[in-house]
Amino acid sequence: MSGPAPKNPDYATRVQASFARQGLMTTLGASLIRVSPGQVEISLPTSAAVSQQHGFVHAGALASIADSAAGYAALTLMPPDAGVLTTEFKINLLAPGIGERIVARGKVVKAGRTLTLAQTDVFAIHEGQEKHIALLTATLMTVQGRGGVSD
Amino acid sequence: MSGPAPKNPDYATRVQASFARQGLMTTLGASLIRVSPGQVEISLPTSAAVSQQHGFVHAGALASIADSAAGYAALTLMPPDAGVLTTEFKINLLAPGIGERIVARGKVVKAGRTLTLAQTDVFAIHEGQEKHIALLTATLMTVQGRGGVSD
Amino acid sequence: MSGPAPKNPDYATRVQASFARQGLMTTLGASLIRVSPGQVEISLPTSAAVSQQHGFVHAGALASIADSAAGYAALTLMPPDAGVLTTEFKINLLAPGIGERIVARGKVVKAGRTLTLAQTDVFAIHEGQEKHIALLTATLMTVQGRGGVSD
Amino acid sequence: MSGPAPKNPDYATRVQASFARQGLMTTLGASLIRVSPGQVEISLPTSAAVSQQHGFVHAGALASIADSAAGYAALTLMPPDAGVLTTEFKINLLAPGIGERIVARGKVVKAGRTLTLAQTDVFAIHEGQEKHIALLTATLMTVQGRGGVSD
């Protein structure tokens, strides 16, 4: 078998429980649709509630689900007692967010002891076609022994 | 007189009207609190509705208001018929978003014909104290003659 | 046939001629080792001349060849009369640059009319082993009709 | 007195000694022109040796001195036994590097225990006039107890 090995056998349950506590994901209407070692996928139905002024999905909504996908992809490879925090991300917007649904697919590029680099590709699904609309790269920090920050 | 000169005398009205059409800002509970040439300020009350898993404000919510502040700061200096689109942004997260309210202060660093660079400092307000919690830099594009993209 | 189609049949000759004019590449000792539609590879022998204070390859030297690889990958897909300029890039450093040689592999993620997004993976070659040491994402601008900026 | 307090009274001597070991700075012809707590300035004479294909200063050369300025600004505030490594940076290019000399002014935005955010403004000096040509934001890591990485 290939792919990185999770340090926590319960990585999927843990990501699901943590995602459920992200109030912003509920507010946006996003859902977690796939969790595997080093990879996480989040889906967001488009609507006026997540739009910018021209009716496209707001870059901030795209960034929100892309950041969560990157962070949870990183968390799947972290030890059971660790928490994850984003230290920075950059997002390049390639095309307007138009369609029925947005999908953010995050994957770990390199998992280090303290810092993990992850990347999320964001797609708009319109009439069954996927279009690549954004690319995010994020640095995630493994936090241990800090009250309140264990996912 | 100091500061850059707006090309559109009605820049403030225009930014307010455009902000009102950003469904995401309404969904998050954000409001526009200041518009001046090259500078825009947005406020967001903290709550579970915009949180990540540890109860801090989600990086995506910070990025959302910081991106809007940067984009509208850029729009204040654009011609009346132009629209603004974000092409990329990066956000560095300096401290957790904890407090009663988050304020994002965007300002134009350089306004070019096609591309504008803007920067947003994000602060958490807790018991009357401001703490610098994030820094965003964004590239905004001036869009002209494209249907549906005039702010 | 797969892959993007170049708009200029002489794309390879053009990239080689342009690379030869980049004084910085000569100063660093970098060479162009592969040019194909949407992809460019640059090699840099490591030495004290490109080091930072601990003897690793300086992040600026890695960024220099990674930026050139991204820019030339973009140029392979541009019209014959266009020039390319970098508008921004971000580089994440994953591991120290240690080894005999550094290779930067740039590829186009999305080629737009005005803006192109490209990505460069940077590897250190040490005793025949490749190690992924950096990831750069860059926005490149297609410049037409501007004196002095045609590659 | 204002400004951050250095943890190492010999911060200036240390930055000078470390800068002198950066082979890349010598290769580019860059020099350290100012060191104060949380701020460092580096100068680079323009020449064909640091150019890109149109004769402007290469974005990689700008990034190199901007990264060193950010890193050394961070180092001025670190403990005596710590070393500094760049984990990521983003640079936005605002105008071509044209003139007699480039100056990179780095300053610390926030110094944390493990991570420091610094920002460098890059200016081109042409006939006595300064023009703002680039903005870099960098995350620097404090490294302690790691052989070979003490500046």
Side-chain angles (χ1 to χ4, degrees):
Chain A
M1 265 191 37
S2 66
K7 292 187 179 101
N8 177 2
D10 296 329
Y11 70 88
T13 311
R14 185 193 193 191
V15 167
Q16 284 148 6
S18 182
F19 184 89
R21 289 198 303 275
Q22 289 205 332
L24 181 64
M25 292 298 111
T26 306
T27 300
L28 298 177
S31 51
L32 188 64
I33 55 179
R34 199 167 76 91
V35 181
S36 60
Q39 297 189 34
V40 162
E41 203 167 319
I42 294 173
S43 174
L44 175 73
T46 61
S47 77
V50 295
S51 74
Q52 43 84 284
Q53 71 275 24
H54 314 116
F56 310 147
V57 179
H58 196 290
L62 300 176
S64 296
I65 61 167
D67 171 46
S68 281
Y72 285 127
L75 187 62
T76 62
L77 305 182
M78 289 183 183
D81 61 334
V84 61
L85 284 177
T86 304
T87 66
E88 61 85 24
F89 66 77
K90 178 194 168 198
I91 186 164
N92 284 87
L93 302 150
L94 307 172
I98 300 172
E100 294 79 54
R101 204 162 62 90
I102 306 294
V103 174
R105 296 194 181 109
K107 64 170 195 291
V108 170
V109 175
K110 175 152 186 281
R113 201 165 27 120
T114 309
L115 300 179
T116 291
L117 180 68
Q119 190 155 10
T120 302
D121 286 292
V122 183
F123 301 88
I125 319 289
H126 185 46
E127 298 178 354
Q129 298 275 335
E130 283 200 356
K131 185 173 185 176
H132 192 195
I133 61 166
L135 175 64
L136 171 141
T137 56
T139 305
L140 294 314
M141 195 173 211
T142 305
V143 181
Q144 286 178 298
R146 182 166 152 192
V149 186
S150 61
D151 289 276
Chain B
M1 263 190 38
S2 67
K7 294 189 178 98
N8 177 1
D10 295 329
Y11 70 89
T13 311
R14 185 192 191 192
V15 167
Q16 284 149 5
S18 182
F19 184 89
R21 288 197 304 275
Q22 289 205 332
L24 181 64
M25 292 298 112
T26 306
T27 300
L28 297 178
S31 52
L32 188 64
I33 55 179
R34 198 166 75 92
V35 181
S36 59
Q39 297 190 34
V40 161
E41 202 167 319
I42 294 173
S43 173
L44 175 73
T46 61
S47 77
V50 295
S51 74
Q52 42 84 284
Q53 71 275 24
H54 314 117
F56 309 148
V57 179
H58 196 289
L62 300 177
S64 295
I65 61 167
D67 171 46
S68 281
Y72 286 127
L75 187 62
T76 62
L77 305 183
M78 289 184 184
D81 61 336
V84 61
L85 284 177
T86 305
T87 67
E88 61 84 25
F89 67 76
K90 178 192 171 200
I91 186 164
N92 283 86
L93 302 150
L94 307 172
I98 300 172
E100 294 79 54
R101 203 162 63 89
I102 306 295
V103 174
R105 297 196 180 107
K107 64 171 195 288
V108 170
V109 175
K110 174 154 186 277
R113 201 164 27 119
T114 310
L115 300 179
T116 291
L117 180 68
Q119 185 162 343
T120 303
D121 286 291
V122 183
F123 300 87
I125 318 290
H126 186 45
E127 298 178 354
Q129 298 276 335
E130 284 201 355
K131 186 172 185 176
H132 193 196
I133 61 166
L135 174 65
L136 172 141
T137 57
T139 305
L140 294 314
M141 194 173 212
T142 305
V143 180
Q144 286 179 296
R146 182 167 153 192
V149 185
S150 61
D151 289 275
Chain C
M1 262 192 38
S2 67
K7 293 187 179 102
N8 177 2
D10 296 329
Y11 71 88
T13 311
R14 185 193 193 191
V15 167
Q16 284 148 8
S18 181
F19 184 89
R21 289 197 303 276
Q22 288 204 334
L24 181 65
M25 292 298 112
T26 306
T27 300
L28 298 177
S31 51
L32 189 64
I33 55 179
R34 200 166 75 91
V35 181
S36 60
Q39 297 190 35
V40 161
E41 202 168 319
I42 293 173
S43 174
L44 175 73
T46 60
S47 77
V50 295
S51 74
Q52 43 83 285
Q53 70 275 24
H54 315 117
F56 309 147
V57 179
H58 195 291
L62 300 177
S64 295
I65 63 167
D67 171 48
S68 281
Y72 285 127
L75 187 63
T76 63
L77 304 183
M78 289 183 183
D81 61 335
V84 61
L85 284 177
T86 303
T87 67
E88 62 84 24
F89 66 77
K90 179 194 168 197
I91 187 165
N92 284 85
L93 302 149
L94 308 171
I98 299 172
E100 295 78 53
R101 204 161 63 88
I102 305 295
V103 174
R105 297 196 181 108
K107 64 171 196 290
V108 170
V109 174
K110 175 152 185 280
R113 201 164 29 118
T114 309
L115 299 179
T116 291
L117 179 68
Q119 187 162 342
T120 302
D121 287 291
V122 183
F123 300 88
I125 319 289
H126 185 45
E127 298 177 354
Q129 298 276 335
E130 284 200 355
K131 186 173 184 176
H132 192 195
I133 61 165
L135 175 64
L136 172 141
T137 56
T139 305
L140 295 313
M141 195 173 211
T142 305
V143 181
Q144 284 179 296
R146 182 165 152 193
V149 185
S150 61
D151 287 82
Chain D
M1 263 189 39
S2 67
K7 294 188 178 99
N8 177 1
D10 295 329
Y11 71 87
T13 312
R14 183 191 192 194
V15 167
Q16 284 148 6
S18 182
F19 184 88
R21 289 197 304 275
Q22 288 205 333
L24 181 65
M25 292 298 112
T26 306
T27 299
L28 297 178
S31 50
L32 188 63
I33 55 179
R34 199 165 75 92
V35 181
S36 59
Q39 297 190 34
V40 162
E41 202 167 319
I42 294 174
S43 174
L44 175 73
T46 61
S47 77
V50 295
S51 75
Q52 42 84 285
Q53 71 274 23
H54 314 118
F56 309 147
V57 179
H58 196 290
L62 300 176
S64 295
I65 61 167
D67 170 48
S68 281
Y72 286 126
L75 187 62
T76 63
L77 304 183
M78 290 183 182
D81 61 335
V84 60
L85 284 176
T86 304
T87 68
E88 61 83 25
F89 67 76
K90 179 194 169 198
I91 186 165
N92 283 86
L93 302 150
L94 307 172
I98 299 172
E100 295 78 54
R101 203 161 64 89
I102 306 295
V103 174
R105 298 195 180 109
K107 64 171 194 291
V108 170
V109 174
K110 174 152 186 281
R113 201 166 26 121
T114 309
L115 300 179
T116 292
L117 180 68
Q119 190 154 12
T120 303
D121 286 293
V122 183
F123 301 88
I125 319 288
H126 185 46
E127 298 178 354
Q129 297 275 335
E130 283 200 356
K131 186 172 184 177
H132 192 196
I133 62 166
L135 176 64
L136 172 141
T137 56
T139 306
L140 294 314
M141 194 174 212
T142 305
V143 181
Q144 285 179 296
R146 182 167 153 191
V149 185
S150 61
D151 288 82

